[in-house]
Amino acid sequence: MADMREPIESGCPDPWQYLHPTMRKNFGQWKYHEHPRPGVLRHVAYSGDEIWTVKAGTQRILDVFTLRKLCDIGDQFADGFIHFTLRSNIEYMVKDPAKVEPLIQALEGAGFVVGGTQNSVAMISHTQGWLHCDIPGTDASGVVKSMMDELIDEFKSANMPNRVHITTSCCQINCGGQGDIAINIQHTKPPKINHDLVANVCERPSVVARCPVAAIRPAMVNGKPSLEVDERKCICCGACYPPCPPMQINDAEHSKLAIWVGGNHSNARGKPTFQKLVAAGIPNNPPRWPEATAIVKRILKAYKEGARDWERVNEWIERIGWPRFFEEVELPFTKYHIDTWRGARASFNSSSYIRF
Ligand code: SF4
Ligand code: SF4
Protein backbone atom coordinates (compact mmCIF):
# COMPACT_ATOMS: atom_id res chain seq x y z
CA MET A 1 0.00 0.00 0.00
CA ALA A 2 1.47 3.31 -1.13
CA ASP A 3 0.97 5.31 2.06
CA MET A 4 2.14 2.73 4.58
CA ARG A 5 5.14 3.75 6.62
CA GLU A 6 8.40 1.83 6.40
CA PRO A 7 8.70 -1.06 8.85
CA ILE A 8 10.88 -0.40 11.90
CA GLU A 9 12.76 -2.89 14.01
CA SER A 10 10.74 -2.41 17.16
CA GLY A 11 7.22 -1.41 18.07
CA CYS A 12 4.00 -2.55 16.54
CA PRO A 13 3.48 -2.63 12.78
CA ASP A 14 1.29 -0.15 10.95
CA PRO A 15 -2.26 -1.18 11.95
CA TRP A 16 -3.83 0.14 8.73
CA GLN A 17 -3.12 -3.10 6.90
CA TYR A 18 -5.05 -5.12 9.49
CA LEU A 19 -8.22 -3.04 9.57
CA HIS A 20 -11.43 -4.56 8.34
CA PRO A 21 -12.02 -3.17 4.78
CA THR A 22 -15.24 -1.46 5.93
CA MET A 23 -13.30 0.30 8.69
CA ARG A 24 -10.61 1.39 6.25
CA LYS A 25 -13.20 2.70 3.82
CA ASN A 26 -15.02 4.71 6.49
CA PHE A 27 -12.01 5.81 8.52
CA GLY A 28 -12.91 8.98 10.45
CA GLN A 29 -16.40 9.00 8.96
CA TRP A 30 -18.50 7.30 11.61
CA LYS A 31 -21.87 8.81 12.38
CA TYR A 32 -22.88 7.01 15.58
CA HIS A 33 -22.63 3.75 17.41
CA GLU A 34 -24.94 1.79 19.66
CA HIS A 35 -24.80 -1.09 22.08
CA PRO A 36 -27.41 -3.69 21.10
CA ARG A 37 -26.41 -6.15 23.82
CA PRO A 38 -23.47 -6.74 26.19
CA GLY A 39 -20.39 -7.68 24.21
CA VAL A 40 -21.69 -6.29 20.90
CA LEU A 41 -21.27 -2.83 19.33
CA ARG A 42 -22.80 -1.54 16.09
CA HIS A 43 -21.06 1.35 14.34
CA VAL A 44 -22.82 3.16 11.50
CA ALA A 45 -20.93 5.35 9.01
CA TYR A 46 -22.13 8.40 7.07
CA SER A 47 -21.89 6.26 3.93
CA GLY A 48 -24.59 3.96 5.36
CA ASP A 49 -22.09 1.13 5.95
CA GLU A 50 -22.22 -0.56 9.30
CA ILE A 51 -19.87 -2.78 11.21
CA TRP A 52 -20.61 -5.05 14.16
CA THR A 53 -18.01 -5.78 16.80
CA VAL A 54 -18.20 -8.81 19.08
CA LYS A 55 -15.95 -8.71 22.14
CA ALA A 56 -14.81 -11.69 24.23
CA GLY A 57 -12.47 -11.92 27.22
CA THR A 58 -9.28 -13.95 27.16
CA GLN A 59 -6.86 -15.02 29.85
CA ARG A 60 -4.34 -12.42 28.51
CA ILE A 61 -1.31 -14.70 28.70
CA LEU A 62 -2.27 -16.69 25.64
CA ASP A 63 -0.77 -19.98 24.54
CA VAL A 64 -0.43 -20.63 20.84
CA PHE A 65 -3.22 -23.23 20.81
CA THR A 66 -5.76 -20.77 22.23
CA LEU A 67 -4.59 -18.12 19.77
CA ARG A 68 -5.10 -20.54 16.89
CA LYS A 69 -8.55 -21.41 18.19
CA LEU A 70 -9.50 -17.73 18.40
CA CYS A 71 -8.17 -17.08 14.89
CA ASP A 72 -10.01 -20.11 13.49
CA ILE A 73 -13.25 -18.76 14.97
CA GLY A 74 -12.46 -15.45 13.25
CA ASP A 75 -11.93 -17.14 9.89
CA GLN A 76 -14.97 -19.36 10.16
CA PHE A 77 -17.58 -17.16 11.83
CA ALA A 78 -16.34 -13.60 11.30
CA ASP A 79 -14.76 -11.83 8.32
CA GLY A 80 -11.22 -12.88 9.21
CA PHE A 81 -10.37 -9.66 11.06
CA ILE A 82 -9.60 -9.44 14.76
CA HIS A 83 -7.91 -7.13 17.16
CA PHE A 84 -6.88 -7.29 20.80
CA THR A 85 -7.77 -4.49 23.16
CA LEU A 86 -5.46 -3.10 25.84
CA ARG A 87 -7.32 -5.23 28.37
CA SER A 88 -6.67 -8.44 26.44
CA ASN A 89 -10.15 -8.77 25.07
CA ILE A 90 -10.43 -10.04 21.53
CA GLU A 91 -12.74 -8.21 19.12
CA TYR A 92 -14.15 -9.62 15.88
CA MET A 93 -15.52 -7.28 13.23
CA VAL A 94 -18.32 -8.38 10.88
CA LYS A 95 -20.25 -6.49 8.25
CA ASP A 96 -23.27 -8.75 8.13
CA PRO A 97 -25.54 -8.62 11.24
CA ALA A 98 -26.65 -12.21 10.52
CA LYS A 99 -23.14 -13.36 11.47
CA VAL A 100 -23.28 -11.91 15.00
CA GLU A 101 -25.33 -14.59 16.74
CA PRO A 102 -23.47 -17.61 15.24
CA LEU A 103 -20.18 -15.91 16.13
CA ILE A 104 -21.29 -15.46 19.76
CA GLN A 105 -22.40 -19.08 19.90
CA ALA A 106 -19.07 -20.27 18.48
CA LEU A 107 -17.14 -18.23 21.07
CA GLU A 108 -19.27 -19.35 23.99
CA GLY A 109 -19.22 -22.94 22.73
CA ALA A 110 -15.41 -22.81 22.82
CA GLY A 111 -15.46 -21.54 26.43
CA PHE A 112 -14.89 -17.81 25.88
CA VAL A 113 -17.02 -15.21 27.60
CA VAL A 114 -18.66 -12.51 25.49
CA GLY A 115 -19.04 -9.14 27.20
CA GLY A 116 -16.89 -6.31 28.53
CA THR A 117 -18.58 -3.48 26.64
CA GLN A 118 -20.05 -0.19 27.82
CA ASN A 119 -21.11 -0.09 31.51
CA SER A 120 -19.68 -3.47 32.47
CA VAL A 121 -16.69 -4.48 34.57
CA ALA A 122 -14.10 -4.78 31.83
CA MET A 123 -11.43 -7.47 31.91
CA ILE A 124 -8.96 -6.73 34.71
CA SER A 125 -5.68 -5.64 33.18
CA HIS A 126 -2.57 -7.04 34.77
CA THR A 127 1.16 -6.93 34.53
CA GLN A 128 3.09 -10.01 33.52
CA GLY A 129 4.59 -11.03 36.84
CA TRP A 130 6.33 -14.36 37.01
CA LEU A 131 6.12 -14.92 33.27
CA HIS A 132 8.83 -12.51 32.16
CA CYS A 133 9.71 -10.08 34.90
CA ASP A 134 12.49 -10.35 37.46
CA ILE A 135 10.96 -8.41 40.36
CA PRO A 136 7.32 -9.42 40.96
CA GLY A 137 6.13 -9.76 44.54
CA THR A 138 2.91 -11.50 43.57
CA ASP A 139 1.37 -13.29 40.62
CA ALA A 140 -0.78 -10.52 39.15
CA SER A 141 -2.39 -12.85 36.61
CA GLY A 142 -3.43 -15.21 39.41
CA VAL A 143 -5.11 -12.32 41.23
CA VAL A 144 -6.96 -11.50 38.00
CA LYS A 145 -8.13 -15.07 37.47
CA SER A 146 -9.43 -15.34 41.04
CA MET A 147 -11.26 -12.03 40.89
CA MET A 148 -12.69 -12.43 37.40
CA ASP A 149 -14.12 -15.82 38.40
CA GLU A 150 -16.21 -13.92 40.95
CA LEU A 151 -16.96 -10.88 38.79
CA ILE A 152 -17.75 -12.65 35.55
CA ASP A 153 -21.47 -11.85 35.70
CA GLU A 154 -20.58 -8.15 35.72
CA PHE A 155 -18.40 -8.72 32.63
CA LYS A 156 -21.22 -10.48 30.78
CA SER A 157 -23.85 -7.88 31.64
CA ALA A 158 -23.90 -4.09 31.48
CA ASN A 159 -25.44 -3.26 34.85
CA MET A 160 -22.85 -0.94 36.36
CA PRO A 161 -23.45 2.84 36.53
CA ASN A 162 -20.56 3.27 34.08
CA ARG A 163 -17.54 1.39 32.88
CA VAL A 164 -15.29 -0.08 35.58
CA HIS A 165 -11.60 -0.57 34.86
CA ILE A 166 -9.76 -2.74 37.37
CA THR A 167 -6.00 -3.21 37.25
CA THR A 168 -3.44 -5.25 39.12
CA SER A 169 0.28 -4.87 39.46
CA CYS A 170 2.93 -7.16 40.85
CA CYS A 171 5.45 -4.60 42.07
CA GLN A 172 5.12 -1.10 43.48
CA ILE A 173 7.17 0.91 41.05
CA ASN A 174 6.86 0.00 37.39
CA CYS A 175 3.84 -0.98 35.33
CA GLY A 176 1.53 -0.38 38.31
CA GLY A 177 -2.08 0.00 37.40
CA GLN A 178 -4.10 3.18 37.19
CA GLY A 179 -7.75 2.22 37.39
CA ASP A 180 -11.16 2.79 38.91
CA ILE A 181 -9.98 0.06 41.28
CA ALA A 182 -6.32 -1.00 41.41
CA ILE A 183 -4.87 -3.93 43.36
CA ASN A 184 -1.15 -3.35 43.76
CA ILE A 185 1.61 -5.01 45.69
CA GLN A 186 2.76 -3.14 48.81
CA HIS A 187 6.05 -3.93 50.51
CA THR A 188 6.06 -3.19 54.22
CA LYS A 189 9.66 -3.92 55.24
CA PRO A 190 12.97 -2.48 53.96
CA PRO A 191 15.10 -4.73 51.74
CA LYS A 192 17.28 -7.44 53.29
CA ILE A 193 20.80 -7.12 51.92
CA ASN A 194 22.97 -10.12 51.08
CA HIS A 195 26.31 -8.38 51.58
CA ASP A 196 28.32 -11.27 50.09
CA LEU A 197 26.75 -10.71 46.69
CA VAL A 198 26.45 -6.93 46.37
CA ALA A 199 30.00 -6.28 45.13
CA ASN A 200 29.72 -8.94 42.42
CA VAL A 201 26.23 -8.21 41.20
CA CYS A 202 25.35 -4.54 41.72
CA GLU A 203 26.59 -1.28 40.31
CA ARG A 204 26.54 0.55 43.60
CA PRO A 205 26.33 4.16 42.29
CA SER A 206 23.27 3.30 40.18
CA VAL A 207 21.59 1.63 43.15
CA VAL A 208 22.27 4.65 45.37
CA ALA A 209 20.85 6.91 42.64
CA ARG A 210 17.71 4.79 42.33
CA CYS A 211 16.45 5.47 45.84
CA PRO A 212 13.80 8.22 45.80
CA VAL A 213 14.45 9.21 49.43
CA ALA A 214 18.26 8.93 49.48
CA ALA A 215 18.15 6.10 52.03
CA ILE A 216 21.00 4.05 50.51
CA ARG A 217 24.67 4.66 51.21
CA PRO A 218 27.82 2.79 50.14
CA ALA A 219 29.32 0.83 53.02
CA MET A 220 32.09 -1.67 53.73
CA VAL A 221 30.67 -4.80 55.36
CA ASN A 222 32.92 -7.66 56.46
CA GLY A 223 35.71 -6.08 54.43
CA LYS A 224 33.67 -6.11 51.22
CA PRO A 225 32.15 -3.13 49.39
CA SER A 226 28.42 -3.21 49.94
CA LEU A 227 25.47 -0.93 50.67
CA GLU A 228 23.47 0.05 53.72
CA VAL A 229 19.93 1.33 54.10
CA ASP A 230 18.76 4.00 56.52
CA GLU A 231 15.58 2.22 57.56
CA ARG A 232 14.08 5.37 59.10
CA LYS A 233 14.01 6.95 55.66
CA CYS A 234 13.16 3.86 53.55
CA ILE A 235 9.62 3.91 52.16
CA CYS A 236 9.80 0.21 51.13
CA CYS A 237 9.21 1.03 47.47
CA GLY A 238 11.42 -1.74 46.11
CA ALA A 239 13.15 0.48 43.52
CA CYS A 240 16.59 -0.74 44.62
CA TYR A 241 15.73 -4.39 44.04
CA PRO A 242 15.71 -4.45 40.18
CA PRO A 243 19.25 -3.05 39.77
CA CYS A 244 20.50 -4.99 42.81
CA PRO A 245 18.81 -8.37 43.38
CA PRO A 246 20.82 -8.97 46.60
CA MET A 247 18.61 -6.22 48.10
CA GLN A 248 15.72 -8.66 48.41
CA ILE A 249 12.44 -6.93 49.23
CA ASN A 250 9.90 -9.58 48.26
CA ASP A 251 8.72 -11.40 51.32
CA ALA A 252 6.03 -14.03 51.69
CA GLU A 253 4.70 -12.45 54.85
CA HIS A 254 5.51 -8.75 54.60
CA SER A 255 4.74 -8.10 50.91
CA LYS A 256 1.03 -7.30 51.03
CA LEU A 257 -1.64 -6.08 48.66
CA ALA A 258 -3.12 -2.58 48.69
CA ILE A 259 -6.28 -1.36 47.00
CA TRP A 260 -6.54 2.07 45.39
CA VAL A 261 -9.60 3.67 43.80
CA GLY A 262 -10.60 6.49 41.48
CA GLY A 263 -7.77 6.57 38.94
CA ASN A 264 -8.67 7.84 35.51
CA HIS A 265 -6.62 9.04 32.56
CA SER A 266 -7.41 12.44 31.13
CA ASN A 267 -9.60 12.65 28.08
CA ALA A 268 -11.06 15.36 25.85
CA ARG A 269 -13.43 16.46 28.60
CA GLY A 270 -11.54 16.07 31.84
CA LYS A 271 -8.19 16.12 33.56
CA PRO A 272 -6.70 12.92 34.99
CA THR A 273 -7.66 11.82 38.47
CA PHE A 274 -5.16 10.07 40.69
CA GLN A 275 -6.14 6.93 42.47
CA LYS A 276 -6.12 7.03 46.25
CA LEU A 277 -5.25 4.33 48.75
CA VAL A 278 -8.27 2.87 50.53
CA ALA A 279 -7.07 -0.47 51.94
CA ALA A 280 -3.57 -1.58 52.85
CA GLY A 281 -1.89 -4.56 54.44
CA ILE A 282 -4.20 -7.07 52.72
CA PRO A 283 -2.69 -10.58 52.79
CA ASN A 284 -1.00 -11.58 49.53
CA ASN A 285 -2.74 -14.89 49.73
CA PRO A 286 -2.51 -17.26 46.74
CA PRO A 287 -4.04 -19.17 45.10
CA ARG A 288 -7.37 -17.32 45.40
CA TRP A 289 -6.64 -14.04 47.25
CA PRO A 290 -10.02 -14.13 49.07
CA GLU A 291 -9.38 -11.07 51.29
CA ALA A 292 -8.59 -8.73 48.38
CA THR A 293 -11.46 -10.10 46.31
CA ALA A 294 -13.94 -9.51 49.15
CA ILE A 295 -12.93 -5.83 49.38
CA VAL A 296 -13.17 -5.31 45.60
CA LYS A 297 -16.64 -6.85 45.65
CA ARG A 298 -17.73 -4.55 48.49
CA ILE A 299 -16.53 -1.49 46.57
CA LEU A 300 -18.31 -2.62 43.41
CA LYS A 301 -21.54 -3.33 45.31
CA ALA A 302 -21.55 0.09 46.97
CA TYR A 303 -20.76 1.79 43.64
CA LYS A 304 -23.47 -0.14 41.81
CA GLU A 305 -26.08 0.72 44.42
CA GLY A 306 -25.04 4.29 45.11
CA ALA A 307 -23.75 5.90 41.92
CA ARG A 308 -25.92 7.80 39.49
CA ASP A 309 -26.11 6.76 35.85
CA TRP A 310 -22.78 7.33 34.06
CA GLU A 311 -20.86 8.35 37.16
CA ARG A 312 -17.41 6.76 37.21
CA VAL A 313 -16.06 5.49 40.53
CA ASN A 314 -14.07 8.69 41.21
CA GLU A 315 -17.07 10.92 40.36
CA TRP A 316 -19.31 8.93 42.69
CA ILE A 317 -16.81 9.25 45.56
CA GLU A 318 -16.30 12.97 44.96
CA ARG A 319 -20.07 13.47 45.12
CA ILE A 320 -20.75 11.46 48.27
CA GLY A 321 -17.46 12.42 49.97
CA TRP A 322 -14.65 10.22 51.29
CA PRO A 323 -16.07 9.76 54.82
CA ARG A 324 -19.26 8.27 53.42
CA PHE A 325 -17.31 6.14 50.93
CA PHE A 326 -15.39 4.51 53.79
CA GLU A 327 -18.66 3.85 55.60
CA GLU A 328 -20.35 2.36 52.54
CA VAL A 329 -17.50 -0.03 51.77
CA GLU A 330 -16.95 -0.87 55.45
CA LEU A 331 -13.27 -0.04 55.43
CA PRO A 332 -11.48 1.72 58.30
CA PHE A 333 -10.04 5.18 57.64
CA THR A 334 -6.68 5.49 59.40
CA LYS A 335 -3.92 8.07 59.72
CA TYR A 336 -1.96 6.05 57.18
CA HIS A 337 -4.37 7.14 54.45
CA ILE A 338 -3.09 10.71 54.68
CA ASP A 339 -0.16 11.54 52.42
CA THR A 340 2.29 13.20 54.79
CA TRP A 341 5.47 12.22 52.98
CA ARG A 342 7.80 15.20 52.66
CA GLY A 343 8.23 14.55 48.92
CA ALA A 344 4.48 14.51 48.32
CA ARG A 345 4.56 18.01 46.85
CA ALA A 346 5.55 16.42 43.54
CA SER A 347 2.69 13.93 43.67
CA PHE A 348 0.20 16.76 44.18
CA ASN A 349 0.59 17.57 40.47
CA SER A 350 -2.88 16.41 39.55
CA SER A 351 -3.33 18.21 36.27
CA SER A 352 -1.44 17.98 33.01
CA TYR A 353 -1.83 21.77 32.70
CA ILE A 354 -0.31 23.02 35.94
CA ARG A 355 3.13 21.92 37.07
CA PHE A 356 5.11 23.17 40.02
S1 SF4 B 1 4.44 -4.53 37.70
FE1 SF4 B 1 6.60 -4.68 38.29
S2 SF4 B 1 6.93 -6.88 38.69
FE2 SF4 B 1 5.03 -6.71 37.53
S3 SF4 B 1 5.66 -6.99 35.38
FE3 SF4 B 1 5.66 -4.76 35.81
S4 SF4 B 1 7.77 -4.29 36.42
FE4 SF4 B 1 7.50 -6.52 36.58
S1 SF4 C 1 13.11 0.15 49.11
FE1 SF4 C 1 12.97 2.13 48.05
S2 SF4 C 1 13.17 3.65 49.69
FE2 SF4 C 1 13.90 1.70 50.54
S3 SF4 C 1 16.10 1.71 50.18
FE3 SF4 C 1 15.17 0.67 48.42
S4 SF4 C 1 14.90 2.31 46.88
FE4 SF4 C 1 15.22 3.31 48.88
Side-chain angles (χ1 to χ4, degrees), residues 217-258:
R217 287 187 293 260
M220 291 297 284
V221 181
N222 301 330
K224 288 186 187 167
S226 185
L227 296 161
E228 66 182 10
V229 170
D230 180 346
E231 298 195 351
R232 287 165 310 164
K233 281 189 184 172
C234 175
I235 53 170
C236 310
C237 67
C240 48
Y241 176 47
C244 187
M247 297 186 74
Q248 179 63 252
I249 191 148
N250 287 339
D251 183 283
E253 192 190 337
H254 299 298
S255 292
K256 308 277 190 186
L257 295 184

Side-chain angles (χ1 to χ4, degrees), residues 127-129 132-137 140 168-176:
T127 47
Q128 304 302 320
H132 79 93
C133 192
D134 54 354
I135 57 169
T168 65
S169 150
C170 36
C171 74
Q172 243 174 233
I173 48 164
N174 286 345
C175 22

Side-chain angles (χ1 to χ4, degrees), residues 302-336:
Y303 167 63
K304 192 174 176 178
E305 287 169 0
R308 294 182 183 147
D309 286 353
W310 306 115
E311 267 180 341
R312 290 288 287 255
V313 169
N314 62 308
E315 293 163 337
W316 163 62
I317 300 172
E318 286 300 322
R319 179 171 60 77
I320 65 170
W322 285 96
R324 200 166 135 215
F325 167 81
F326 277 93
E327 276 167 34
E328 302 256 326
V329 298
E330 295 165 36
L331 287 171
F333 181 79
T334 69
K335 64 179 182 181
Y336 300 109

Side-chain angles (χ1 to χ4, degrees), residues 34-45:
E34 56 186 19
H35 185 234
R37 54 151 283 182
V40 179
L41 294 167
R42 172 177 174 251
H43 284 79
V44 179

